[in-house]
Structures are given as C-alpha cells and as structure tokens.
Amino acid sequence: MARTNDTLELSGFGALTGTPKQVGDQLDRLTAEQVIALTFEHGSEPAIRALADTVVSIAPLVRTILMRRQREAIGSIIEALVPQVPPPQHMLVEARMTAEARRAVLESGDWLTASQIANMAGFSTSNPSAQPNKWKKEGQIFAVRHRGVDYFPGYALDSAGYRPIKALAKVLSVFSGKKDDWGLAYWFASVNSSLGGKRPHDMLIAQPERVLAAAEDELVGALHG
C-alpha cells in the first residue's frame, strides 16, 4: 500500500507567473522535480495570478481524489473476485411461498391495469391512468404492483361505470397502516370464517356490510393476539 501512495505523491506546491523569461529565471533557481507550465497568449497580470493561486489551492485535492478512485477500483475488483454467497435456505423457502401466494392471488380474480379501467370507464385517453391512480391515492381502491405495473382488483369495481365500490373505502380504512397492498389482496382472496368460509372479494358487491364486519373482526383479533 505504501508503494501505491508513493505513486500518487504530490507535495511542495507553488506557482510561478510572469513572462517566459521571468518564469525561466525563477525555474533556474528552483530544485523542484516536476513542473507544469500553462501558457497564455494574452492575459492581465492580476488574472494570471488569480489563476495560479486557484491551481495551488486545489492541487492538494488531486491526490485525495486519486486515492479514493484507487480504493473504489480495488473494492470493485475484490467484489468481483469474491464468489456469490447463496441466500440462506429459509429465505429461499420464504421467497418461494411468497411467489406462490402472489400467483394464487393474481389467478383468483380479475386484475386490471389503470389503462384498462380507463378504457372501460370511458376516461380521457390523454392520461388514462390519472383517475385510477387518484382513486388509489384517496383510499378508494388499492392496487398490487407486479413486474413494474399496478394492477387494480376488478372485483372492487361496480359493473355499471367501473368505479370503486363505495364499501371498499371503508374496508381499506379499517386496514390502513395494518396491511400493505399485497396483504389486502391476500385477505380478500382468502376464505374467511366470519363469512362462513367464503372469500371477501366474492361478497364485496352483494354483502359489503358483512365484508366490512369481517375486516373489523380481523383487526380486533389481531389487536388481542
């Protein structure tokens, strides 16, 4: 490491200004090992002096920057040489279970993109995602994100105008801060004892008050362990 630092050694900074002859005379009296020369066809003495002072002031930073870049390069080489560490078995199992659960949810009902909803509802084509995303922001509906795309539950939309069912907002309010979007999707797609073994998303339109009560029961059960 000492050898690496030596190759980046910079010390004893100074600047000489003047005409070529004046600078040459000053160089003859110097014992410096290295010299950098900047030449100007035209330039006032104050401006040249200011530039020289600036160069001297930033010169110490050059070594610091070069050393940092060397460390970063060495770190990248080491990282590339170290073999990939496989994730622990329990993490693989958990990832597989999550993937299977998400696939089951996506296959359990109709999921629509914002553009698809906008098309069916007759929204503006200039920005078709605006209204569904506004509903989501206002807590009227939720969406799960899959491969970079938001998917909204078709069972949460009425069949007349493809707007969010009003009861859904109340259910989402119950679970606010307690379940994320995928957690909501799991809950709606799972059989529920409070609903006689039926799934909430199958009863959301026909019996929204029972779905809301089931959500409240779940929250009370979670609070009491």
Side-chain angles (χ1 to χ4, degrees), residues 1 10 56 67 78 87 111 129 145 148 165 170 192 215 217:
M1 184 59 70
L10 291 172
V56 171
M67 290 183 65
I78 293 174
W111 295 88
S129 301
R145 195 159 186 81
I165 299 170
K170 297 179 181 179
N192 193 295
D217 288 345

Side-chain angles (χ1 to χ4, degrees), residues 13 34 46 50 63 69 76 81 98 117 173 180 185 192 197:
F13 309 107
Q34 301 289 335
R63 183 173 186 270
R69 289 180 177 175
S76 297
L81 293 176
T98 299
I117 294 175
S173 177
D180 60 13
N192 193 295

Side-chain angles (χ1 to χ4, degrees), residues 65-122:
I65 294 172
L66 292 176
M67 290 183 65
R68 186 190 68 209
R69 289 180 177 175
Q70 276 195 347
R71 288 194 297 268
E72 291 174 351
I74 292 173
S76 297
I77 293 172
I78 293 174
E79 185 173 341
L81 293 176
V82 174
Q84 185 73 26
V85 178
Q89 185 62 30
H90 74 275
M91 292 182 64
L92 292 174
V93 172
E94 182 178 346
R96 184 167 57 251
M97 292 176 62
T98 299
E100 292 174 353
R102 291 189 177 187
R103 182 173 61 251
V105 164
L106 293 175
E107 293 175 350
S108 68
D110 294 330
W111 295 88
L112 306 169
T113 65
S115 296
Q116 289 173 323
I117 294 175
N119 182 56
M120 292 186 297

Side-chain angles (χ1 to χ4, degrees), residues 203-225:
M203 302 180 64
L204 185 60
I205 293 179
Q207 295 180 290
E209 69 286 346
R210 289 191 62 189
V211 175
L212 177 60
E216 293 172 340
D217 288 345
E218 166 128 344
L219 186 61
V220 170
L223 291 176
H224 293 283

